[in-house]
Every structure is written in C-alpha cells, then in structure tokens.
Amino acid sequence: MRGNNTILCHQSFMMTPNMADMNDTLLIELKTGNAKNIARFFASNITLSILNEDGLYSKFQAEMLLQGFFSKNKPSAVKLLQKITNKTNYSYYVYQLSSNKNLFRVFIKINLSKSGQTIEEFRVEKQASK
C-alpha cells in the first residue's frame, strides 16, 4: 500500500503545473513527443509557431498541431540550451530537439503566476545541421 502512495506522489510531481521548475517535465515530454502532456500546461489561448504554421490557437488546436509535428518528427534527443528566469512573471526555455529527420530549436515562454505555470508561447524552428 505504501508503494502505491509513493508512485502517486511521483506521478503528481512530474505533471503538476505548480512545480518550481518545469524543465525536468518538459525534457521528458519533449523527448517522448507527448503533445497531450505538454498541452496540459498550455494557456487557454497560446501563441504557437511550428515551422511555417503560426498563430494564436486554443489549447486543443495547439495540442493537435504539436501532435502532428511529433508524428512527422519523432524525437530522439532533447537538450536544454538556455533557461532565463528573471524578476518578471515569465521564464524562457530554449531546447535543441533532434528527430529522426532534422534538428530543431524549441522556444517556450512560461507565465509564472500564483495559480501555477502556463505555457503562453511555444515555437519550433528548424535548425541548420552542423
């Protein structure tokens, strides 16, 4: 019985939007290409740019577009390139995502509020190979 409580605590830690730092969760979800779990952190309307498709989308629309990207570009590795947290209510993360086809740069803007952390902007750009 105690083991189940430990597992539940671990699962809620991984997915709760009230975490002090979302980097670990974002690394895992980007690496697995799990659009549904990433979308759990999306604001109700999000600025989304995936390659040539960009705009202001609902949470559901953004999840579908991100899922489409992951289905065409299965992630193989993800690396945090930069994290900026300043005195404003925002944090910024830049990742390098390697897929079966290409190399991408992923930019994520997170709003830090008393009610939790929400992703307000999510951008994926193709990166030139080295």
Side-chain angles (χ1 to χ4, degrees):
M1 189 75 166
R2 186 173 186 169
N4 288 342
N5 289 339
T6 303
I7 291 170
L8 290 174
C9 289
H10 178 69
Q11 287 174 341
S12 65
F13 171 76
M14 293 302 294
M15 303 315 287
T16 179
N18 294 321
M19 287 183 351
D21 188 310
M22 289 181 71
N23 180 52
D24 291 339
T25 298
L26 289 171
L27 278 169
I28 291 167
E29 303 307 348
L30 286 168
K31 173 90 166 69
T32 59
N34 194 328
K36 185 175 186 78
N37 281 346
I38 294 170
R40 292 174 56 174
F41 299 105
F42 285 173
S44 56
N45 290 299
I46 179 173
T47 302
L48 181 75
S49 176
I50 298 179
L51 305 177
N52 296 326
E53 204 157 335
D54 61 319
L56 184 63
Y57 297 97
S58 71
K59 190 175 193 171
F60 178 76
Q61 289 172 317
E63 179 185 339
M64 294 298 103
L65 289 168
L66 186 56
Q67 185 58 49
F69 168 78
F70 284 140
S71 67
K72 293 175 187 166
N73 300 282
K74 182 169 173 41
S76 57
V78 178
K79 178 171 70 171
L80 177 66
L81 298 178
Q82 186 174 21
K83 175 185 171 185
I84 301 169
T85 304
N86 52 30
K87 293 180 183 176
T88 66
N89 289 334
Y90 294 97
S91 287
Y92 304 88
Y93 294 87
V94 180
Y95 297 94
Q96 182 179 62
L97 185 143
S98 302
S99 78
N100 53 342
K101 297 179 182 177
N102 292 301
L103 196 59
F104 300 95
R105 190 166 291 241
V106 179
F107 170 85
I108 301 173
K109 177 182 175 185
I110 298 172
N111 181 356
L112 311 168
S113 68
K114 291 178 183 174
S115 60
Q117 301 180 43
T118 55
I119 298 173
E120 288 192 353
E121 184 176 350
F122 193 101
R123 276 194 331 235
V124 179
E125 301 168 351
K126 191 170 179 182
Q127 185 175 319
S129 304
K130 290 186 178 180

